[in-house]
Amino acid sequence: MTDADAGTGSKARPERRSQAWFGAEGRAGMIYRSWMRNQGLGHEVFDGRPVIGIAVSASELAPCNAHLDRVAEAVKRGVWQAGGLPLAFPTMATGETLMRPTAMLFRNLMAMEVEELIRANPLDGVVLLSGCDKTTPAMLMGAASVDLPAVMVTGGPMLNGKYRGRDVGSGTAVWQFEEDLKTGRMTQEECFYAEGCMARSNGHCMTMGTASTMACMAESLGMQLPGSATWPAVDARRFETAQAAGKRVVEMVDEDLRPSKVMTRAAFENAIRTNAAIGGSTNAIIHLAAIAGRLGVDLSLDDFDGLAREVPTLVNLQPSGKYLMEDFCYAGGLPAVHRELAGAGLLHTKQITVTGQSIAENTATAERIGDEVITPLSTPFQEAGTGTAVLRGNLAPNGAVLKQSAATPELLQHRGRALVFDSPEAYHKVCDDPTLDVTADDILVIRGAGPKGYPGMPEVSNVPLPTKLLKAGVTDMIRICDGRMSGTGYGTVVLHVAPESAVGGPLALVRTGDEIELDVAGRRLSLLISDEELAERRARWTPPEPKHRSGYAWLYTEHVTQANEGADLTFLRGSRGHAVPRDSH
């Protein structure tokens, strides 16, 4: 067989999208094939076999993703094994640990980049390699908008943190150590030492933070191979799973099994119920809403409350519980949870996944090891109805959320005086002041942290308690904010208040001294002033000056939707398909 025969795809293979490039005749085909051959590829790889892109978000600026180049090598093995051509390409990484003002500002930019890179290149399918919490939804959003066969491989959690004979969780321990520093229970030198104890291997947070949650959501949506959400990043089975994903995506190209066929309304319902069962992050609400918006799946904020109410929390993990992701993995991982839920009729078991099989088929042999980490439905870690609650009222007409499993039960029904701050920074300037006029019964209101106002909706809502209260032994108080909270965080924190203060939502109209009532059982969040007073304040309200007048931040603030809609950009919602772009050669 000659090079020319290989290039024109003369072998009896089904026509691939990639053949618009590599099967082209004349000058165009020569350009596409010859430049690829400078990497040492032989002519035979252009014979019409599936070309699989490996989207790699590896970056030393995103510690959770730093090892993904090695994961990509495992994926390549699987693609070659199945007879495909693997081609890795870099994407940006949105690491929450370093990026300012917040990685959430760049989730949509990453989604746009992933989408356009997939569409612009000669790819028949793609494997998505993610790690940190924003990279997973960004890649799923981008892949959904192109709708080529896709499999996700998340990078896996770090090994359990170990500090002075006990397990410590990344993120969650940070908040605990901060309180210990403020109250003198820990020295700065001890804190330096503890930092290395929390993060002792590659991988993302090993608590049930947003990174772990979104890995579980990808698996629950059917976009990851069963069990792959929980293998530790440095476990050999993480790389075994990656190889299996590379092999499987080649088969999916032949089956035309695309994200729109996997991530249906039923799949999102499965993900919402799974999030309740694992005690997952509130950030999953925003990310799932954004992914659904790319697929045209009708998903409302109320779905997250209604679908989760009947689901107990089964997984005893930090920040709500005791254990960590490594323990969850060895106890059976997500397949064990899915089998438990399926047995109770809480999942759509016939929903197809990237395996080509249903949830029921994928989990038929799943085993729950012990009762401590993954509890049985008969004796759950937390009863049904203790998951994330969606609140409404005159303070949150379009909704707000609260993670009940991480809150103090006694504060879920509370009335208190508002202590208002126009930004997280304004609060931090005074929170250590011993003369601050604050009591444990007060409600801290932090505004200016929403999608448009900050911009980017940072994870700042669980501000530390005033130092004077910490020293007095207070461990929690109500905080209300239009921003987000890290999935590793805890406390009685009302999040995602919509509309946000920057667009004139009622949060902008609250004054210090107002009374606020939180009634989680009744799903109400109320500012206790008259409608007339509220209308009068609104009439006098003026919007803040724009913080950006050019660049991506300006584009973002001009087009970002509110939290209840997923905080995506208006012009990115929906699918634009994978039609082959015009040939310029």
Side-chain angles (χ1 to χ4, degrees), residues 77-392:
R77 291 197 298 267
V79 175
W80 284 122
Q81 181 183 7
L85 170 60
L87 297 172
F89 62 94
T91 72
M92 68 182 292
T94 53
E96 189 65 76
T97 53
L98 295 183
M99 294 188 87
R100 293 185 180 185
T102 169
M104 186 63 174
L105 177 64
F106 305 104
R107 182 202 65 179
N108 301 337
L109 180 62
M110 182 180 178
M112 190 189 317
E113 181 199 39
V114 169
E115 174 186 347
E116 299 302 340
L117 285 173
I118 294 172
R119 184 181 296 110
N121 284 291
L123 303 178
D124 302 305
V126 64
V127 178
L128 310 165
L129 303 188
S130 70
C132 198
D133 49 355
K134 312 304 182 301
T135 56
T136 298
M139 285 184 155
L140 289 174
M141 290 159 68
S145 287
V146 184
D147 206 27
L148 279 173
V151 178
M152 171 149 276
V153 179
T154 48
M158 293 184 280
L159 297 175
N160 287 1
K162 302 286 184 180
Y163 177 66
R164 292 190 169 178
R166 64 186 177 97
D167 283 356
V168 292
S170 53
T172 300
V174 170
W175 320 125
Q176 296 166 350
F177 291 160
E178 179 185 40
E179 293 176 0
D180 289 344
L181 276 170
K182 283 177 172 285
T183 55
R185 296 190 296 264
M186 177 183 251
T187 67
Q188 188 61 64
E189 289 72 22
E190 289 172 326
C191 188
F192 287 147
Y193 176 73
E195 290 172 6
C197 298
M198 280 191 294
R200 62 190 192 94
S201 78
N202 285 142
H204 58 66
C205 288
M206 83 298 279
T207 53
M208 188 53 77
T210 308
S212 295
T213 297
M214 290 313 298
C216 291
M217 293 300 93
E219 187 173 328
S220 300
L221 286 169
M223 292 297 292
Q224 281 214 84
L225 297 181
S228 60
T230 57
W231 287 119
V234 294
D235 195 301
R237 287 161 289 192
R238 168 63 50 195
F239 299 92
E240 185 179 322
T241 297
Q243 181 170 336
K247 181 180 179 182
R248 175 59 193 149
V249 76
V250 175
E251 299 166 347
M252 289 172 61
V253 171
D254 284 334
E255 298 164 9
D256 193 32
L257 184 54
R258 294 177 278 114
S260 60
K261 298 179 180 180
V262 175
M263 292 191 286
T264 64
R265 166 76 190 197
F268 280 96
E269 292 188 3
N270 285 345
I272 291 170
R273 286 189 166 130
T274 301
N275 192 49
I278 63 177
S281 168
T282 51
N283 289 310
I285 296 173
I286 291 180
H287 297 319
L288 289 174
I291 298 165
R294 298 300 186 98
L295 294 156
V297 172
D298 183 20
L299 199 67
S300 74
L301 189 59
D302 290 330
D303 288 326
F304 290 88
D305 194 317
L307 289 166
R309 279 203 192 206
E310 57 185 333
V311 182
T313 304
L314 301 180
V315 180
N316 180 5
L317 253 64
Q318 296 181 30
S320 301
K322 174 182 178 182
Y323 297 99
L324 296 167
M325 285 295 288
E326 191 178 350
D327 308 305
F328 181 31
C329 178
Y330 306 149
L334 204 60
V337 174
H338 282 160
R339 189 175 185 187
E340 200 78 14
L341 294 176
L346 293 171
L347 289 185
H348 299 285
T349 55
K350 294 182 180 179
Q351 177 60 35
I352 197 73
T353 72
V354 291
T355 65
Q357 297 183 309
S358 68
I359 288 270
E361 291 170 312
N362 288 346
T363 61
T365 60
E367 186 178 2
R368 178 171 50 81
I369 311 300
D371 294 343
E372 292 186 351
V373 182
I374 305 174
T375 60
L377 271 165
S378 57
T379 54
F381 173 56
Q382 293 182 342
E383 296 295 329
T386 56
T388 297
V390 174
L391 311 171
R392 293 187 187 274

Side-chain angles (χ1 to χ4, degrees), residues 309-547:
R309 279 203 192 206
E310 57 185 333
V311 182
T313 304
L314 301 180
V315 180
N316 180 5
L317 253 64
Q318 296 181 30
S320 301
K322 174 182 178 182
Y323 297 99
L324 296 167
M325 285 295 288
E326 191 178 350
D327 308 305
F328 181 31
C329 178
Y330 306 149
L334 204 60
V337 174
H338 282 160
R339 189 175 185 187
E340 200 78 14
L341 294 176
L346 293 171
L347 289 185
H348 299 285
T349 55
K350 294 182 180 179
Q351 177 60 35
I352 197 73
T353 72
V354 291
T355 65
Q357 297 183 309
S358 68
I359 288 270
E361 291 170 312
N362 288 346
T363 61
T365 60
E367 186 178 2
R368 178 171 50 81
I369 311 300
D371 294 343
E372 292 186 351
V373 182
I374 305 174
T375 60
L377 271 165
S378 57
T379 54
F381 173 56
Q382 293 182 342
E383 296 295 329
T386 56
T388 297
V390 174
L391 311 171
R392 293 187 187 274
N394 68 346
L395 196 50
N398 293 343
V401 302
L402 182 143
K403 186 175 180 178
Q404 295 183 80
S405 63
T408 300
E410 294 77 20
L411 290 175
L412 298 181
Q413 175 75 52
H414 183 80
R415 180 183 292 193
R417 180 190 71 139
L419 187 58
V420 182
F421 299 90
D422 286 329
S423 69
E425 293 80 7
Y427 172 74
H428 285 292
K429 285 182 179 178
V430 301
C431 69
D432 293 329
D433 186 347
T435 66
L436 182 65
D437 180 16
V438 62
T439 72
D441 290 330
D442 289 339
I443 295 176
L444 300 178
V445 175
I446 313 293
R447 58 193 178 200
K452 184 180 177 73
Y454 200 75
M457 204 178 179
E459 295 180 340
V460 296
S461 299
N462 59 322
V463 294
L465 303 192
T467 301
K468 65 182 285 186
L469 297 184
L470 287 172
K471 289 182 176 179
V474 177
T475 58
D476 195 12
M477 64 188 299
I478 296 173
R479 286 147 282 179
I480 298 174
C481 186
D482 47 11
R484 298 180 300 114
M485 177 175 78
S486 168
T488 66
Y490 52 87
T492 310
V493 190
V494 178
L495 310 155
H496 311 179
V497 175
E500 64 174 301
S501 60
V503 298
L507 201 65
L509 310 178
V510 184
R511 296 174 180 172
T512 292
D514 288 343
E515 268 201 311
I516 294 175
E517 183 174 28
L518 173 65
D519 176 11
V520 176
R523 297 301 196 260
R524 302 293 297 173
L525 181 65
S526 305
L527 178 62
L528 301 181
I529 63 174
S530 67
D531 292 344
E532 292 76 16
E533 172 67 17
L534 194 62
E536 184 178 332
R537 292 185 188 183
R538 181 172 288 109
R540 293 198 300 268
W541 180 81
T542 57
E545 284 292 313
K547 291 180 176 160

